[in-house]
Amino acid sequence: HMSAGVELFTSASSLLRKIEEDQSSSGKTYDIIFADIKQPEMDGITFGKRLYLMHVDAALVLVTAFPEYAIEGYSTHAFQFLAKPVTPEAAKDVISAIYRDKENSMSISVRSSGRHEIIPVKDIDLIVSEDKYSRIYVGNKSFLDTSTLDYFEINLMRFGFVRVHRSTLVNIRYYRSLEGNTIYLSSGRQATVSRRRIPEIRSYI
């Protein structure tokens, strides 16, 4: 991903050429692409269809002065449309929404029984330490991973995972109730909360 932030291209075809070069060499990708629907050489709709066929994993935002284009735009798998004139607030809102969407689709790779399992972060409700390993609970299954609970706490904190006990991480999205020092989850599981962490848990709910 680019650390500099923003690159500008004068046409859709020049960006497609750059993406083709990157795919065959550096593997650099873009998070978000803003494109005007009306432009010379190739319009935004055609551009979006080309991006999709190239398996480009960037969110596409189509900018248009003509809202009637929006229906056709959905065939390009555009994330969103921005009506002209584009205000800084509207651009900021769409960028925030895209990053929220990316977070919701985040997955982790778990090494379990000698093979890798890809698990969406939002499906994990509880992670419990077992010796030097961690047991990850997902729906009616569980996976034993070789990473420590500290590792998961650091990496999953931004997705709403909270340390409720030295041996337990809970996805706060699954919170149902807190009774005494027991937290009940909507998944049907429950976990013990250490007394000193009870005020912190209450602050999340």
Side-chain angles (χ1 to χ4, degrees):
H1 290 265
M2 292 176 51
S3 55
V6 178
E7 271 187 49
L8 296 173
F9 293 85
T10 54
S11 68
S13 52
S14 64
L15 174 52
L16 287 174
R17 277 196 301 275
K18 180 74 165 58
I19 288 170
E20 278 173 355
E21 287 168 18
D22 290 340
Q23 281 180 335
S24 61
S25 60
S26 66
K28 183 178 73 178
T29 59
Y30 297 96
D31 285 341
I32 305 171
I33 296 172
F34 288 85
D36 204 315
I37 283 187
K38 193 177 180 191
Q39 52 179 303
E41 288 182 54
M42 185 187 302
D43 64 59
I45 303 288
T46 309
F47 169 64
K49 289 174 180 170
R50 288 278 299 279
L51 275 181
Y52 185 70
L53 291 172
M54 289 168 72
H55 303 285
V56 174
D57 188 29
L60 175 63
V61 181
L62 291 175
V63 181
T64 179
F66 308 101
E68 64 271 17
Y69 271 120
I71 301 301
E72 192 187 348
Y74 281 110
S75 67
T76 71
H77 307 269
F79 181 89
Q80 202 161 332
F81 292 86
L82 273 181
K84 288 182 178 176
V86 176
T87 64
E89 290 77 18
K92 193 172 153 190
D93 285 349
V94 75
I95 290 167
S96 296
I98 287 166
Y99 281 113
R100 268 200 311 277
D101 188 64
K102 277 183 181 287
E103 280 195 8
N104 287 337
S105 61
M106 271 289 296
S107 297
I108 58 169
S109 177
V110 169
R111 296 179 296 286
S112 182
S113 306
R115 53 182 211 168
H116 284 268
E117 300 271 354
I118 304 297
I119 302 173
V121 168
K122 62 181 171 51
D123 292 348
I124 301 168
D125 61 331
L126 193 65
I127 306 177
V128 178
S129 67
E130 287 188 12
D131 296 323
K132 292 177 182 172
Y133 301 97
S134 297
R135 185 164 294 279
I136 298 164
Y137 290 90
V138 182
N140 59 1
K141 295 181 183 173
S142 75
F143 303 91
L144 193 64
D145 184 71
T146 54
S147 302
T148 64
L149 201 65
D150 287 346
Y151 168 85
F152 285 115
E153 182 179 19
I154 291 162
N155 287 281
L156 299 182
M157 195 184 292
R158 64 200 169 101
F159 299 115
F161 283 76
V162 180
R163 190 82 167 243
V164 298
H165 190 276
R166 61 186 168 78
S167 63
T168 315
L169 265 180
V170 163
N171 185 343
I172 211 72
R173 290 179 185 182
Y174 287 86
Y175 169 83
R176 199 180 72 206
S177 65
L178 179 64
E179 295 168 31
N181 65 338
T182 302
I183 188 168
Y184 293 89
L185 305 179
S186 57
S187 60
R189 278 187 268 273
Q190 62 190 65
T192 300
V193 180
S194 63
R195 294 204 179 277
R196 67 188 181 85
R197 293 183 190 268
I198 288 175
E200 184 192 350
I201 302 308
R202 291 202 183 281
S203 74
Y204 282 99
I205 55 185

